[in-house]
Amino acid sequence: MAKLTGAEILIRSLKEEGVTHVFGYPGGAIIPLTDKLYGEKSLIFHLTRHEQGAAHAADGYARATGKTGVCIATSGPGATNLVTGIATAHMDSIPMVAITGQVKSALIGNDAFQEADMVGITRPITKHNYLVKDVRDLARVVKEAFHIASTGRPGPVLIDLPVDVQLQEAEFKYPKTVALKGYKPTYKGHIGQIKKIAKAIQKSKRPVIYAGGGIIHSGADKELARFARKANIPVTMTLMGLGGFPGDDPLSLGMLGMHGTAYANHAVQASDLLIAIGARFDDRVTGRVDAFAPDAVVVHVDIDPASVSKNVRVDIPVIGDATEILKELNKLVKKGDYIEWHEMIAGWKRELPLKYQEDDRLRPQYVVEQLYELTKDKDVIIATEVGQNQMWAAQHFTYTRPRTWLSSGGLGTMGYGLPAAIGAQIGKPDSIVFDIAGDGSIQMNIQELALAVMEKIPVKIIILNNGYLGMVRQWQELFYDKRYAFTVLSEDNCTMCPDFVKLAESYGAKGIRVNKKADVKKALKAALKEQGPVIVDFIVEREENVFPMVPAGESISNMLHGLA
Amino acid sequence: MQKFVLSVLVENKFGVLTRVAGLFSARGYNIGSLAVGETEDPGISRMTIVVEADEKILEQIKKQLNKLIDVLRVQDLTGGEHVGRELILIKVKAEDIKAREKIVQVVDSTGGEIVDIGKKALTVEESGDEHRIRALIELLRPYGILEIVRTGKIAMQSEA
């Protein structure tokens, strides 16, 4: 058998895994690999302008397509720049394989030029990681990495590859199977436990389904809809779960938690049965844990045993894949009515809808609503940054399909949205991809606009520009006596810094500014028509707040409503 | 807080100890002791970990350990019958003949052994369960303990 170099083996292995796009940035310790990728037609390298952008683009690609995203960086600073992106993927259980160059094997541990201990650095933020010391292990390691990243509870896996291993030669034979004695995720749920859920549903008078990102990862959206409709149980979703159940379905309660809808939070608090599926009782969801769903029997369906009873006492745990378990449950569950319960919820929906002041001022919620109205019949994907922009995008846009909502939930990474939108657009060339951003977070990875322009990736960036780091400013307004410590981005001698329209133009993209409410629709329509990337800079009400809001550490019953 | 003894089978691979130790530090779990060595299968090592935790945290520790790819099996030996042993070396002050004689008597009576004799100190070796080790330390303390080295507990489930 002919021998291949490590770089060639890696490329062949990526192809075996069906990889067609990688996101990365070159450097000294990864040249042998990028050299072999040069000119590749079926495995395209997308040059981001910062390694963090590469990791988020791979993540956005993965969230939009369901495939494993791949990012590549050189050793040392290149690799450490991936860290935030890897941690983002880890917190949100996103399948990703990160490949980093490493200094020559003989130099490892010598504080060599551009050396960093990546296996050590990424150990707590990866599902698993590898340092490949022998080229003969490489194909097996890649096989294992993709298997681990994409199965069970998905997550990122890092492969650190010394530059000399990329050049060493070995025979290439891609393994057909993996042999990992210590890794066997459970997919089938325990049938006895599933029967217990069915019984609990029959006994319940006020059930609620609490659906998380696991619905999306598992592809369980159809089974979930069947379950909810058959049993007639209302569904609330976590930030990660948006799109897992149609937001326009009468059974949908929208999002719960710190900035959830009032009716979702009241329903959870009043429930006598809470059915958590692929969710992990994050503190932003539960608020004060001991006051969370106090009267409910808690069911928890999750593929990760460690998520069960970690934060909240669970009465009926079922370990396994959400789709498999819902399929079984759908066989057992009977038609429910819960008339009084639905009336109660309808009352909350009437009295406490999501709302904001509707006047002639340009308010960020209005922009998001109009974007939804204009695109609801189209194949659209929304990525977001982190902060107020993210919460308004979660609240005022209605997500009806999985993988159309890409947002950094667990880690809350500012700068996620633009590169994620680019990755999503590459994976879904026929979709319309928006990044809903704030003027703070867009600046964290604005450099990726260059990639969008160079590769003609028509992402559309909506900046809800209030000249503040708005979410922190909101906390300062409410809990710190309006002391806006270091959250002011726009001041007298810096009112437009940067000027996002000029900035877009300087990258060769289109820039549009909107100052008036009356111009919102026109600008959004223009953005939709634009063939290339575009920034629409909406100069919005500066001190608009996100409501409802549960102050940190309080019960989710105690919402601040702003306008109420 | 209670002490629990976990017996953890892991792949005998580079970096496994860091993964386990890192898990404990990242999640704020307390390690009482940790002993590791090869098993009858050179590809597999066994870690005996004594943890201080309550039942809820113990449950999380076991689940989190099981999530590590290189961890093959986690066994909680605390409740069931098991044999636990630890090896200890104690350097104890012995400057005059009288003290030396007394120390020798103590060591003889506990089944320990004197493994090194210096001009001013004796080194005592003892292996046994926790009680035995603790008893020896207390018996030697009045003479002046200069240094202690302990392996940490190793444990094995009893044959039924």
Side-chain angles (χ1 to χ4, degrees):
Chain A
M1 206 193 289
K3 288 193 169 183
L4 301 181
T5 67
E8 289 166 335
I9 288 172
L10 180 58
I11 290 169
R12 289 276 295 271
S13 303
L14 292 176
K15 288 181 176 174
E16 290 279 345
E17 291 296 332
V19 178
T20 49
H21 295 276
V22 297
F23 303 88
Y25 203 96
I30 198 79
I31 291 183
L33 177 64
T34 48
D35 179 66
K36 295 290 179 195
L37 280 165
Y38 189 50
E40 267 289 341
K41 291 281 185 290
S42 59
L43 183 56
I44 300 163
F45 185 97
H46 300 278
L47 173 63
T48 57
R49 297 305 193 266
H50 188 291
E51 289 86 353
Q52 186 186 347
H56 291 324
D59 172 314
Y61 177 89
R63 291 190 207 221
T65 63
K67 296 182 213 162
T68 300
V70 179
C71 56
I72 295 174
T74 191
S75 65
T80 56
N81 275 347
L82 290 179
V83 164
T84 302
I86 295 172
T88 303
H90 188 246
M91 286 290 264
D92 289 346
S93 310
I94 304 304
M96 178 194 281
V97 171
I99 296 157
T100 48
Q102 182 53 279
V103 300
K104 263 199 257 178
S105 306
L107 287 176
I108 290 177
N110 273 12
D111 301 322
F113 176 65
Q114 291 195 327
E115 178 182 1
D117 169 16
M118 286 319 292
V119 164
I121 287 170
T122 62
R123 189 184 36 69
I125 54 162
T126 50
K127 191 168 167 188
H128 196 55
N129 59 19
Y130 295 90
L131 170 62
V132 182
K133 290 174 162 171
D134 185 331
V135 70
R136 288 169 298 183
D137 294 334
L138 183 54
R140 174 185 57 80
V141 164
V142 176
K143 177 81 185 173
E144 288 179 5
F146 275 83
H147 177 71
I148 291 167
S150 61
T151 55
R153 178 177 176 179
V157 177
L158 178 127
I159 302 173
D160 201 24
L161 197 55
V163 66
D164 54 314
V165 178
Q166 296 169 45
L167 293 165
Q168 281 164 12
E169 293 187 342
E171 288 179 355
F172 175 67
K173 193 161 171 253
Y174 202 62
K176 290 209 162 42
T177 53
V178 289
L180 290 164
K181 281 180 283 184
Y183 178 69
K184 293 196 174 64
T186 306
Y187 288 92
K188 280 239 170 294
H190 190 282
I191 195 71
Q193 294 295 94
I194 298 173
K195 282 181 182 158
K196 277 191 201 164
I197 305 179
K199 270 199 194 129
I201 292 172
Q202 268 185 298
K203 265 202 254 167
S204 166
K205 293 196 161 49
R206 298 184 307 279
V208 172
I209 297 166
Y210 151 40
I215 297 292
I216 317 277
H217 303 317
S218 163
D221 51 295
K222 293 208 166 56
E223 290 300 331
L224 172 64
R226 203 164 292 149
F227 168 53
R229 287 170 188 155
K230 191 172 176 193
N232 200 23
I233 300 176
V235 182
T236 180
M237 286 160 274
T238 67
L239 186 75
M240 296 305 301
L242 293 177
F245 183 77
D248 56 0
D249 190 290
L251 286 172
S252 171
L253 300 171
M255 183 170 78
L256 81 163
M258 181 176 271
H259 292 295
T261 64
Y263 39 94
N265 285 345
H266 283 315
V268 166
Q269 292 301 81
S271 67
D272 66 356
L273 175 64
L274 185 67
I275 305 168
I277 310 172
R280 59 184 176 86
F281 297 85
D282 181 82
D283 57 276
R284 284 295 194 264
V285 161
T286 61
R288 214 181 88 204
V289 172
D290 57 5
F292 180 69
D295 304 325
V297 170
V298 178
V299 171
H300 193 178
V301 173
D302 208 288
I303 199 154
D304 176 10
S307 283
V308 175
S309 291
K310 185 175 69 178
N311 302 334
V312 165
R313 147 205 68 81
V314 171
D315 302 296
I316 309 177
V318 192
I319 306 302
D321 172 55
T323 307
E324 299 270 340
I325 290 166
L326 283 169
K327 268 186 191 160
E328 290 301 321
L329 188 56
N330 280 336
K331 290 181 200 160
L332 301 172
V333 76
K334 297 196 176 73
K335 182 81 195 162
D337 46 32
Y338 312 111
I339 295 165
E340 280 173 37
W341 179 226
H342 284 290
E343 273 171 13
M344 214 163 147
I345 289 170
W348 287 319
K349 281 189 173 179
R350 260 195 319 273
E351 285 157 31
L352 299 164
L354 274 178
K355 61 185 169 187
Y356 61 94
Q357 201 162 339
E358 292 185 49
D359 49 19
D360 55 4
R361 292 172 181 235
L362 176 45
R363 297 192 189 269
Q365 300 94 325
Y366 175 78
V367 176
V368 176
E369 263 180 20
Q370 288 309 307
L371 179 64
Y372 173 63
E373 288 303 323
L374 274 175
T375 61
K376 63 181 171 189
D377 300 324
K378 296 182 162 69
D379 174 8
V380 62
I381 294 172
I382 304 289
T384 76
E385 304 293 338
V386 165
Q388 288 184 317
N389 62 82
Q390 177 187 33
M391 291 300 117
W392 286 318
Q395 292 178 335
H396 295 278
F397 197 101
T398 307
Y399 302 88
T400 55
R401 291 172 299 123
R403 305 200 177 280
T404 58
W405 161 255
L406 322 174
S407 196
S408 168
L411 198 67
T413 307
M414 289 172 72
Y416 170 80
L418 176 54
I422 291 171
Q425 183 77 81
I426 286 168
K428 290 278 186 183
D430 297 329
S431 300
I432 303 165
V433 183
F434 279 90
D435 172 31
I436 295 180
D439 52 306
S441 46
I442 192 63
Q443 293 187 63
M444 287 207 174
N445 275 315
I446 188 70
Q447 76 285 345
E448 301 312 335
L449 201 49
L451 162 60
V453 170
M454 194 159 100
E455 295 197 14
K456 300 195 177 72
I457 297 160
V459 290
K460 302 174 191 332
I461 302 158
I462 304 283
I463 301 179
L464 304 173
N465 188 344
N466 56 15
Y468 283 119
L469 297 173
M471 186 57 92
V472 178
R473 187 211 56 75
Q474 175 172 339
W475 285 49
Q476 290 167 333
E477 177 188 330
L478 298 171
F479 314 116
Y480 287 86
D481 219 8
K482 295 198 176 185
R483 285 164 52 81
Y484 296 161
F486 320 119
T487 47
V488 184
L489 298 183
S490 171
E491 274 183 335
D492 286 348
N493 56 346
C494 173
T495 51
M496 279 283 175
C497 60
D499 178 327
F500 288 108
V501 171
K502 286 186 188 157
L503 187 63
E505 286 164 357
S506 79
Y507 277 105
K510 171 94 173 168
I512 302 172
R513 174 156 304 114
V514 180
N515 290 294
K516 293 204 301 271
K517 186 178 181 181
D519 297 336
V520 169
K521 278 188 209 175
K522 198 175 66 183
L524 289 173
K525 278 183 190 162
L528 275 169
K529 276 208 192 102
E530 195 60 38
Q531 299 292 307
V534 51
I535 288 183
V536 192
D537 185 25
F538 292 93
I539 310 299
V540 298
E541 270 300 290
R542 290 201 72 190
E543 301 201 1
E544 193 69 31
N545 287 331
V546 179
F547 289 119
M549 177 183 191
V550 178
E554 286 199 27
S555 156
I556 62 167
S557 298
N558 302 339
M559 285 168 275
L560 307 176
H561 289 289
L563 283 177
Chain B
M1 294 282 259
Q2 204 189 324
K3 273 191 181 173
F4 296 92
V5 184
L6 299 180
S7 177
V8 185
L9 284 180
V10 299
E11 300 263 11
N12 188 5
K13 277 185 191 162
F14 131 100
V16 178
L17 181 61
T18 346
R19 288 185 203 276
V20 171
L23 172 73
F24 275 76
S25 67
R27 294 190 180 266
Y29 307 144
N30 292 319
I31 299 184
S33 71
L34 190 157
V36 55
E38 254 179 35
T39 63
E40 66 284 359
D41 176 349
I44 294 174
S45 295
R46 185 183 295 276
M47 292 184 183
T48 307
I49 309 175
V50 179
V51 297
E52 286 165 32
D54 58 28
E55 290 282 353
K56 189 176 174 234
I57 292 172
L58 176 73
E59 205 47 44
Q60 265 299 308
I61 292 175
K62 287 195 263 181
K63 286 171 170 177
Q64 294 291 349
L65 281 170
N66 268 313
K67 269 179 85 167
L68 296 178
I69 310 284
D70 290 336
V71 168
L72 305 175
R73 187 157 168 242
V74 181
Q75 211 182 348
D76 184 359
L77 298 179
T78 319
E81 288 286 307
H82 71 274
V83 183
R85 288 290 180 272
E86 187 177 8
L87 177 70
I88 186 171
L89 297 174
I90 308 171
K91 194 178 283 171
V92 59
K93 221 191 257 179
E95 286 173 337
D96 59 78
I97 289 286
K98 239 180 171 177
R100 276 174 193 256
E101 278 172 359
K102 280 186 179 164
I103 290 167
V104 171
Q105 272 172 20
V106 166
V107 172
D108 278 349
S109 71
T110 59
E113 202 180 332
I114 292 168
V115 289
D116 189 47
I117 300 168
K119 277 184 186 154
K120 292 180 174 172
L122 298 174
T123 302
V124 181
E125 174 194 311
E126 172 76 291
S127 75
D129 61 15
E130 248 178 293
H131 301 289
R132 189 168 180 157
I133 301 277
R134 206 181 307 139
L136 179 64
I137 294 172
E138 289 319 311
L139 286 171
L140 291 178
R141 197 181 296 283
Y143 302 96
I145 290 174
L146 299 171
E147 208 179 342
I148 284 180
V149 183
R150 306 173 70 154
T151 57
K153 188 173 190 161
I154 57 169
M156 194 178 260
Q157 195 172 25
S158 303
E159 271 305 306

